Amino acid sequence: MWLWNFRRLLVGISEEVAVVLISSNSRPKRNIQKFIRETKTEFSIFKVNIDWSHWQWIGIGMFSKLGTGKRIADPKGKLFAPEFIDFAKAYVASHWITTNSQEGSSQLLGVLRVVERALIVQTGKANPIDIDLLVLNHADQILRETYSVDGAYTTCRKLVSFAKFIGRRGLTVNDTTSWKSSLPTPRRTHAKFGKEGQSYRKKKLPDLDAICALGQIFSSGFDLEAPGNSRDIFVTSISAMLLGAPSRISEILALSDDCELEEQDENGVLHYGWRFKSVKNKKQSWRIKWIPDDWAPVAKEAIRRLKVLSEDARKFAAYAEKQLRLLEKGKTDKLKFYRAPGFPNVADDVPLSSGEIEQIFGVAEKAMLLRWGLSTRHGCYTLNDLWGLVLKGLPAGFPYVANVHNTHLRFDNALFCFWPGQLHGKARKYSLHVATPNQFQVGLVGNGASKGIFERRNLFDAAGRPLRALSHQFRHLLNTFAKEGTGETYLSNEAINFWSGREKKWQGQYYDHEPIEDKVRKATDALRRPDGSLKVIDIPVVTSDLDSNVPATQYWNISEILPRVTADVEIAHRSPVLWTYYGGCEHDWMLEPCQHHKNCLNCTEFFCIKGAGLDAQERLVRLKALLPLLIEQEEKAKEACDIGCPGAHDWHKYQALYRARVAELITILESENVPEGAIIKISGATAISHLHRVLRETSLKALRDNLNERELVESLVQTYDQESGS
């Protein structure tokens, strides 16, 4: 019965829809088989370049047991149990399909590894049907023992989602949706005072000496035609782009060569930006990242250099795509070898010498022929013989780039489309490659086999160590700079989150590394007056006499005057307002504008501010003009009630209440005892509120997604708690 009581919160949902909430699951074994089968089919269409049967998925990771390490030479005995591995693949693939992103896949694999280990310890086998609260508790304990504090907490959040997922889908014989982890939330070190907070912030922010060094290298210029400069052009250009706007390296590497745009604002000022595919914001994945005007010339130069660097590879990609279309149509007579810059003067049907093959492909003849499984004898092959092999050897998924967030990215317009080995001055032509985050990171700080840009150029810190900066630190730096600004350079949290491409407000808190001491000092300075007192403005004091003079109201609530908002201290909540003829309606930024604004005077979120200005007086005039019309409608409704018209009673009740509210609001606005600036909000409204709209949309979406009773109710309760502030 509690389900039906909760249903009363949902305005506009019929009894027939509510009946659909009660459903039952099939047997877990059958559900798991169906889940694997359907996910495998959908995944084969979604990502055709991934071999489902392989134990390692490129860009995702290995389906290996806990503790096997990051590199596996021989997978025998190190992979998930046979009864568990397809279930694990289906779970990872389902997440990839749903989010259209590989982000978080490593954490999902971490969850699956601890669950498999816990299953084997508790049940002796790894059958996912047997997952229960005891198994999840054991998995929780394994996380404590094998992960760092932050890593365990982050992975455990995914474990909670996993427990709810298998419970809602009926993939286990036990109820797992109620499971909660006992892991405590890690301390927010970035919000700490003293050395601990400083140490944390230092790890998250790049060395400013390293940033300055990159700027000096970038500004010194490069010979773009020299192969030996390719890696430094690549590293410094990306660094300049990361400093132009808060970006993830995966978003930068997924840019197209036509990503740039310029638009005028309302004042006719031209602004520069990039179209990009946001990783975090799934609702508006295609967005524009605006570059500050002072940085725009640097950003433009960085993209110009990258276009020059990738031009040859992109031209080949466009040509190869046209040739593949001809091959599909059977027009083999029109197939012709692509002649890249520096191509030797040789005919298409003349056997090639070893020197010519090396000149064309950038690889020794023997290595090239062995790669294709051909004979290594000299002079056996012509360009015509090799062109078909070149086309067959193009990357999987060609002409589209695989394993990037921008699934529409093609090789011929990918800004970071290069020849393999090009960044190291040893380009292997007639094959394609799109740069990876790891290539940028290695080019920046190096690894065991390669030196980073700072070490190659002998740029060291005071301790004699190479300067260091990580790709994600640029994003942290810009967010911190934006938070530290004051006055004209002040940016609100909403503006910073939008600039950074975030979907959720809370995500920005982990990028704010302004020292707490500075925040306290700034707030104190903002509140301090010349006489030393901590006040910003003189706030009117509401005395008991004033309270007693405010007229008693039946339908409206009158609140005190709010203080002004300063640039550095957000005293009041910054929420959007939909202004109407009679006042304003405020709601959360995450909600769409109200669809019931024509019934504002019956809505709990409507408010009216008393004032002496022209707009306030016009609002009062409109209310006075509305009152006679409501009285007339009330009288007509009463006449209809008197003669017994069906439905007239409800209309009369509504019009009488509406008239009473408007009359009382006019009295409040005209009362000398209500101070200017007082906020007047309705009490006991009857119109559909934003909360009811959110609950209704949540329930309808859940029904469309075929969720079961428990999952729907849990979703509604969570939505109710979030929107009601409880």
Side-chain angles (χ1 to χ4, degrees):
M1 291 302 295
W2 58 273
L3 174 62
W4 300 105
N5 292 331
F6 187 80
R7 186 182 59 82
R8 296 173 185 173
L9 288 171
L10 309 178
V11 176
I13 300 215
S14 65
E15 292 289 337
E16 290 79 7
V17 174
V19 171
V20 182
L21 302 179
I22 308 301
S23 61
S24 59
N25 289 321
S26 303
R27 290 190 308 166
K29 183 176 181 180
R30 185 180 304 170
N31 288 345
I32 288 181
Q33 294 173 347
K34 180 181 179 182
F35 171 59
I36 295 173
R37 183 174 61 253
E38 292 180 350
T39 306
K40 185 176 181 180
T41 301
E42 189 173 357
F43 191 67
S44 64
I45 301 172
F46 178 72
K47 288 289 178 186
V48 294
N49 58 316
I50 296 292
D51 181 7
W52 179 279
S53 62
H54 202 275
W55 55 272
Q56 183 176 17
W57 287 1
I58 298 175
I60 295 292
M62 301 177 295
F63 293 91
S64 55
K65 293 180 178 295
L66 184 67
T68 54
K70 296 182 178 180
R71 298 179 182 274
I72 298 179
D74 182 8
K76 185 177 180 180
K78 298 180 180 180
L79 303 182
F80 284 145
E83 66 271 21
F84 189 81
I85 189 167
D86 273 342
F87 166 77
K89 291 179 178 179
Y91 183 67
V92 174
S94 175
H95 170 79
W96 195 356
I97 295 169
T98 303
T99 62
N100 194 24
S101 171
Q102 302 177 30
E103 186 181 8
S105 298
S106 60
Q107 294 175 353
L108 297 183
L109 284 171
V111 167
L112 292 165
R113 289 183 182 117
V114 297
V115 168
E116 192 218 25
R117 170 73 65 82
L119 265 173
I120 293 175
V121 172
Q122 294 294 328
T123 67
K125 54 184 180 180
N127 193 332
I129 294 177
D130 297 327
I131 298 175
D132 57 11
L133 298 182
L134 187 62
V135 170
L136 294 171
N137 286 335
H138 192 83
D140 187 60
Q141 182 61 34
I142 294 174
L143 284 175
R144 293 172 182 266
E145 298 170 355
T146 57
Y147 281 71
S148 65
V149 175
D150 289 336
Y153 177 73
T154 304
T155 306
C156 197
R157 289 177 58 188
K158 300 289 185 181
L159 179 59
V160 174
S161 299
F162 171 82
K164 294 183 184 301
F165 180 88
I166 61 175
R168 292 167 180 169
R169 292 291 190 99
L171 304 180
T172 173
V173 295
N174 306 288
D175 178 17
T176 60
T177 57
S178 61
W179 182 78
K180 293 183 179 180
S181 171
S182 59
L183 278 173
T185 304
R187 291 192 306 161
R188 294 179 58 190
T189 314
H190 69 285
K192 296 292 180 181
F193 286 89
K195 293 183 179 180
E196 188 179 10
Q198 292 175 1
S199 176
Y200 179 85
R201 285 187 286 273
K202 187 176 180 180
K203 292 179 181 179
K204 292 296 182 180
L205 296 175
D207 187 343
L208 292 182
D209 289 338
I211 299 298
C212 293
L214 288 170
Q216 291 176 352
I217 298 171
F218 181 86
S219 62
S220 64
F222 294 95
D223 178 3
L224 301 183
E225 302 297 329
N229 291 335
S230 297
R231 182 164 46 164
D232 286 354
I233 295 171
F234 171 73
V235 171
T236 56
S237 296
I238 292 181
S239 298
M241 296 172 72
L242 289 172
L243 288 170
S247 305
R248 295 176 178 274
I249 184 62
S250 58
E251 293 172 347
I252 294 292
L253 296 178
L255 289 175
S256 60
D257 63 340
D258 59 350
C259 65
E260 298 174 287
L261 77 160
E262 290 184 300
E263 289 185 2
Q264 290 184 345
D265 61 16
E266 62 274 10
N267 298 318
V269 179
L270 197 64
H271 297 286
Y272 172 78
W274 307 323
R275 292 184 213 85
F276 77 107
K277 193 85 167 178
S278 174
V279 172
K280 282 289 186 182
N281 197 320
K282 304 298 189 300
K283 295 179 180 178
Q284 296 177 332
S285 55
W286 280 108
R287 304 187 67 179
I288 298 174
K289 195 178 289 291
W290 296 108
I291 310 302
D293 294 341
D294 293 340
W295 197 259
V298 178
K300 290 179 181 179
E301 174 61 17
I303 288 190
R304 185 192 72 82
R305 294 179 183 181
L306 290 168
K307 284 182 178 180
V308 173
L309 202 63
S310 63
E311 182 178 9
D312 291 344
R314 288 187 287 107
K315 285 182 177 179
F316 166 71
Y319 181 83
E321 184 178 348
K322 294 178 181 178
Q323 290 281 289
L324 284 174
R325 292 200 193 105
L326 294 175
L327 186 62
E328 290 174 357
K329 295 178 181 179
K331 298 180 179 180
T332 55
D333 57 316
K334 294 187 178 182
L335 298 181
K336 187 175 179 63
F337 204 101
Y338 177 75
R339 296 174 181 263
F343 201 88
N345 185 18
V346 59
D348 292 272
D349 56 355
V350 175
L352 299 170
S353 66
S354 58
E356 289 171 337
I357 288 182
E358 184 171 349
Q359 185 178 357
I360 292 171
F361 292 98
V363 181
E365 176 187 19
K366 185 175 181 180
M368 198 74 243
L369 296 177
L370 287 175
R371 185 188 304 274
W372 283 325
L374 300 177
S375 171
T376 57
R377 288 187 304 165
H378 296 299
C380 291
Y381 305 103
T382 66
L383 291 175
N384 289 336
D385 297 328
L386 299 180
W387 184 232
L389 297 174
V390 170
L391 294 178
K392 290 181 180 178
L394 292 172
F398 184 87
Y400 293 98
V401 181
N403 301 321
V404 293
H405 187 65
N406 179 5
T407 56
H408 301 281
L409 186 66
R410 304 163 69 94
F411 279 94
D412 62 341
N413 75 332
L415 183 61
F416 292 91
C417 175
F418 303 127
W419 305 117
Q422 181 179 349
L423 298 180
H424 295 277
K426 300 178 181 179
R428 187 177 78 246
K429 297 183 179 180
Y430 299 99
S431 183
L432 294 172
H433 165 75
V434 170
T436 64
N438 184 64
Q439 283 183 299
F440 172 69
Q441 200 60 51
V442 172
L444 193 62
V445 297
N447 58 14
S450 177
K451 295 180 179 180
I453 189 171
F454 301 111
E455 189 175 2
R456 293 197 309 271
R457 292 178 173 263
N458 297 318
L459 297 171
F460 302 96
D461 60 15
R465 295 168 300 193
L467 297 176
R468 184 175 178 83
L470 304 178
S471 63
H472 209 58
Q473 289 178 334
F474 293 85
R475 182 175 170 91
H476 283 267
L477 181 67
L478 290 186
N479 274 259
T480 301
F481 281 170
K483 287 293 294 184
E484 289 179 345
T486 58
E488 294 182 356
T489 63
Y490 173 80
L491 286 179
S492 66
N493 288 330
E494 290 82 0
I496 296 173
N497 287 333
F498 179 83
W499 192 35
S500 304
R502 297 190 187 98
E503 179 181 2
K504 299 178 177 63
K505 299 177 183 178
W506 59 265
Q507 293 168 343
Q509 64 181 318
Y510 298 104
Y511 291 85
D512 177 15
H513 303 296
E514 182 184 8
I516 302 300
E517 296 85 349
D518 290 352
K519 292 183 178 181
V520 173
R521 175 187 52 77
K522 188 183 296 182
T524 303
D525 292 343
L527 294 170
R528 193 180 302 280
R529 302 186 74 182
D531 62 0
S533 61
L534 292 176
K535 291 183 180 179
V536 181
I537 60 173
D538 292 322
I539 301 176
V541 179
V542 182
T543 65
S544 57
D545 294 338
L546 181 60
D547 290 338
S548 62
N549 291 330
V550 173
T553 61
Q554 182 178 358
Y555 303 106
W556 299 87
N557 295 324
I558 305 174
S559 60
E560 297 180 2
I561 305 171
L562 291 176
R564 288 166 50 191
V565 179
T566 66
D568 292 313
V569 184
E570 295 185 13
I571 298 176
H573 172 62
R574 295 182 175 186
S575 59
V577 174
L578 179 65
W579 291 107
T580 72
Y581 279 138
Y582 311 110
C585 171
E586 67 173 343
H587 56 101
D588 192 88
W589 287 108
M590 301 303 291
L591 296 174
E592 63 180 5
C594 181
Q595 302 298 313
H596 306 281
H597 61 276
K598 293 183 179 180
N599 199 15
C600 294
L601 294 178
N602 281 320
C603 181
T604 54
E605 297 179 2
F606 170 82
F607 66 90
C608 183
I609 300 177
K610 181 179 179 180
L614 179 60
D615 181 68
Q617 293 304 311
E618 290 178 353
R619 191 159 54 239
L620 181 58
V621 170
R622 285 193 290 269
L623 286 168
K624 288 183 176 181
L626 175 64
L627 185 58
L629 300 177
L630 298 180
I631 294 174
E632 180 183 352
Q633 291 299 317
E634 182 184 358
E635 291 175 350
K636 289 183 178 180
K638 188 176 184 307
E639 293 175 0
C641 285
D642 293 340
I643 63 176
C645 289
H649 175 75
D650 292 337
W651 274 98
H652 178 259
K653 181 180 178 181
Y654 175 85
Q655 292 290 356
L657 180 60
Y658 197 5
R659 185 265 309 156
R661 283 179 177 155
V662 172
E664 187 174 80
L665 180 58
I666 293 172
T667 302
I668 294 172
L669 294 175
E670 291 182 329
S671 173
E672 296 180 356
N673 296 321
V674 178
E676 290 187 18
I679 300 174
I680 307 160
K681 298 192 73 170
I682 200 169
S683 59
T686 57
I688 297 177
S689 70
H690 294 293
L691 173 60
H692 289 90
R693 291 194 297 112
V694 171
L695 290 173
R696 183 176 62 185
E697 290 300 319
T698 301
S699 62
L700 292 175
K701 181 180 183 301
L703 292 174
R704 288 194 297 267
D705 293 342
N706 296 321
L707 302 185
N708 60 30
E709 170 190 340
R710 183 180 296 277
E711 182 177 1
L712 172 56
V713 173
E714 183 177 300
S715 176
L716 292 174
V717 172
Q718 182 180 4
T719 302
Y720 178 79
D721 289 343
Q722 291 175 351
E723 297 299 328
S724 63
S726 59

